[in-house]
Amino acid sequence: MLEALHHLLNRLPALNYAVFERLIFHLARVAEQEPANKMSPYNLAVIFAPCLFQGETKSRNPQDLIKELAKQTIVLEVIIEEQVEKLQATLRGIETLSVVARHTASKLTELISSEEVCTVLMC
């Protein structure tokens, strides 16, 4: 399903794709704060699906529109959930890099200190 979604999204005009991608990134950041704001990917999808996936509605049966809305909500929820996972993976990677950087800085400080001691003692 995700491959099919990505295939469809890649067919959007470049500007539309860029705006959609930025919106999804924002919604993922909102969803990441769900404990504080109660906005899960599903809740966000319920709100934004009708705006993002609107089509011709005047000549359509209202029951069909409701069925389509349910499907659209699922699609958007999946997209937001995927972006939340990517965002969390990126943040974990940044945290790992920060830990490595702190460890490296500490080791360098130790080496510099030991070299200074060695220089003073003429090792």
Side-chain angles (χ1 to χ4, degrees), residues 84-102:
V84 167
E85 290 172 12
K86 287 179 182 177
L87 180 60
Q88 289 173 345
T90 300
L91 292 175
R92 284 191 301 272
I94 290 170
E95 180 58 31
T96 300
L97 290 173
S98 295
V99 168
V100 169
R102 284 192 300 271

Side-chain angles (χ1 to χ4, degrees), residues 42-123:
Y42 173 78
N43 290 343
L44 291 164
V46 167
I47 300 299
F48 284 90
C51 300
L52 293 174
F53 300 125
Q54 67 182 350
E56 182 59 43
T57 59
K58 292 180 182 177
S59 62
R60 313 257 322 262
N61 180 348
Q63 289 178 334
D64 291 342
L65 292 174
I66 290 172
K67 288 178 186 175
E68 281 184 22
L69 181 58
K71 292 175 186 175
Q72 293 166 353
T73 299
I74 291 168
V75 167
L76 188 56
E77 180 183 14
V78 167
I79 292 170
I80 294 170
E81 286 173 346
E82 181 187 30
Q83 187 63 39
V84 167
E85 290 172 12
K86 287 179 182 177
L87 180 60
Q88 289 173 345
T90 300
L91 292 175
R92 284 191 301 272
I94 290 170
E95 180 58 31
T96 300
L97 290 173
S98 295
V99 168
V100 169
R102 284 192 300 271
H103 179 72
T104 303
S106 173
K107 288 295 183 184
L108 283 173
T109 301
E110 288 175 21
L111 283 172
I112 290 169
S113 295
S114 67
E115 286 179 13
E116 287 175 0
V117 168
C118 215
T119 302
V120 171
L121 295 175
M122 297 197 178
C123 298

